[in-house]
Amino acid sequence: MAKAKVNLNGKTILVTGSPGFIGANLVLRLLREMTLGTVISFDSMNDYYDPKLKEYRLGLIEDAAKESSVEHIFIKGNLADKNLIDELFEKYKPSVVVNLAAQAGVRYSIEYPDVYIESNIIGFFNVLEACRNNPVEHLVYASSSSVYGGNKKVPFSTDDKVDNPVSLYAATKKSNELLAHSYSKLYNIPSTGLRFFTVYGPAGRPDMFYFSATQKLAAGNTIQIFNYGNCKRDFTYVDDIVEGVYRVMQGAPEKKNGEDGLPIPPYAVYNIGGGQPENLLDYISTLQEELVNAKVLPADYDFEAHRELVGMQPGDVPVTYADSKALEEDYGFSPKIGIREGLRKFSVWFKEYYKN
Ligand SMILES: NC(=O)c1ccc[n+]([C@@H]2O[C@H](COP(=O)([O-])OP(=O)(O)OC[C@H]3O[C@@H](n4cnc5c(N)ncnc54)[C@H](O)[C@@H]3O)[C@@H](O)[C@H]2O)c1
């Protein structure tokens, strides 16, 4: 698909959901790469998981900003607050918007649906409206592999029909893609949705399996392995996700008119996933080995005694597998970092962060 080049340097970039996990890593990358301009982090700092981790990531960003010639501004606020979002856009006029703020998590959406509607639907709508009323060159936003639900065909392609979400979380992410399409068509706003596949890494999200399993194992507890370990996941190391987002930000779907004289929506959706689904049991074995290497677990750790195989969880899917060919074709990139390297970095970070 034809892309219009977006030069980030010297511009104002808004990253919502920073200092969330992916957002913080993206902002750190922007502060390293850009030499001029302003990067705005926007986040409610909610307590869905330990907010100390968000404070820690914000600390890393503030340290990096001191070393960077780029200005960094942190704004604490709720995406669902329309006046605040309007004021923010009016005041800073961001050229590129990366919307990562959302209520994440499949299982939590079963118990707490309201917050998904507030953050992922109303919040995203507010971002779209603000993009409509301001000169935004490119809106990039997080979708999710969960839109594929129980898709039987692998690998998952963005051409596959994704109209059967199996969780409210997935339904909100698919809705984001639909809303973005209508705004791209009606108001000619270049937008790119990115379906992330199980992102992991240092200072990641404690609600995700690799992190919560590590906390349980480190405390001497047993972990539960769902679907008796018969799950395959396409894990993506956070640096690969950041590389993908960074490249995508710089290439917006081109604006063109159709034969009817109206805009052809400058709209695209891509998968970003490792492209090598791992068997859950292999992933856990590698995690445990790396936790021993990092001295989070003792050398004689009895793995078998600390795992319990259990059935499938509601909202969960047996396999995720990304076809990231389109990303490779359009942006010359596909994820590179394997689980051994990624889990090693996570384990070393975990040991250091929780040393006390
Ligand atoms: N990590 C993954 O494996 C993964 C996979 C697929 C999609 N995603 C999507 O990627 C994005 C980033 O995910 P992450 O893993 O960094 O999650 P994260 O929870 O660490 O980051 C999201 C941030 O958004 C903030 N937030 C939530 N609701 C908000 C609101 N209403 N207003 C302002 N801020 C709000 C949270 O405080 C949090 O810091 C999310 O949209 C998520 O749905 C993540």
Side-chain angles (χ1 to χ4, degrees), residues 40 103 113 214 239 289:
I40 302 172
Q103 180 56 52
T214 299
D239 288 2
E289 284 163 23

Side-chain angles (χ1 to χ4, degrees), residues 16-17 46 48 79 99-104 115 119-120 142 169 173 176:
T16 75
N46 70 29
Y48 165 61
L79 219 52
N99 187 60
L100 301 173
Q103 180 56 52
V115 63
S119 296
N120 304 8
Y169 169 66
K173 289 294 179 181
N176 286 176

Side-chain angles (χ1 to χ4, degrees), residues 1 4 46 57 68 110-111 140 142 200 207 283-284:
M1 180 187 283
N46 70 29
R57 299 189 200 111
S68 169
I110 297 168
E111 293 288 323
V140 179
Y200 72 102
D207 61 315
Y283 182 77
I284 293 163

Side-chain angles (χ1 to χ4, degrees), residues 16-23 42-46 48-49 54 57 77-80 99-105 118-120 123 142-145 169 173 194-200 205 208:
T16 75
S18 165
F21 171 41
I22 298 171
F42 179 89
D43 201 297
S44 62
M45 305 293 270
N46 70 29
Y48 165 61
Y49 60 78
K54 298 180 187 178
R57 299 189 200 111
N78 191 335
L79 219 52
N99 187 60
L100 301 173
Q103 180 56 52
E118 177 182 301
S119 296
N120 304 8
S143 183
S144 165
S145 62
Y169 169 66
K173 289 294 179 181
L194 297 173
R195 294 178 180 168
F196 298 149
F197 282 67
T198 320
V199 189
Y200 72 102
R205 270 175 34 209
M208 291 184 69

